[in-house]
Amino acid sequence: MSCRVLKRGVEKFVLETIKTLARENECTLLKGEYIETTKNALVKNHYNALGFRSIVGNSWELNPFVEQSNRNYIQSKENG
């Protein structure tokens, strides 16, 4: 994802879309990994800010069935 769209709600919209697909397919856990580089310091707290919980090292997880406040103002064309 381009740094030009981060912090504008796109990351929340994408996460909500992924969570919806996960629930529809009975996926009970989303996993992510942050791999630190010199160019991605902007997203160091990305998973934490989106409600993921830290597990081991740089690994993160999120239950897609747990509601959380990821309000965004972006809508897909399918949803109106």
Side-chain angles (χ1 to χ4, degrees), residues 5-6 8 10 15 20-23 28-29 31-32 35 41-42 46 49 51 57 59 62 69-70 74-76 78:
V5 299
L6 287 173
R8 296 181 184 208
V10 172
L15 177 59
T20 297
L21 290 169
R23 289 189 298 259
T28 59
L29 191 63
K31 292 184 177 185
I35 301 171
L42 175 68
H46 186 72
S59 296
L62 178 74
S69 177
N70 272 331
I74 301 171
Q75 293 183 348
S76 70
E78 295 174 358

Side-chain angles (χ1 to χ4, degrees), residues 15-69:
L15 177 59
E16 289 305 313
T17 302
I18 292 169
K19 286 173 57 178
T20 297
L21 290 169
R23 289 189 298 259
E24 288 172 356
N25 290 284
E26 299 179 18
C27 175
T28 59
L29 191 63
L30 301 177
K31 292 184 177 185
E33 180 179 13
Y34 172 71
I35 301 171
E36 188 171 359
T37 70
T38 57
K39 294 185 178 185
N40 70 358
L42 175 68
V43 294
K44 185 172 186 167
N45 296 313
H46 186 72
Y47 286 116
N48 186 49
L50 291 173
F52 282 73
R53 73 178 188 96
S54 178
I55 48 175
V56 176
N58 294 324
S59 296
W60 297 81
E61 63 183 25
L62 178 74
N63 181 335
F65 289 93
V66 173
E67 290 300 320
Q68 60 197 74
S69 177

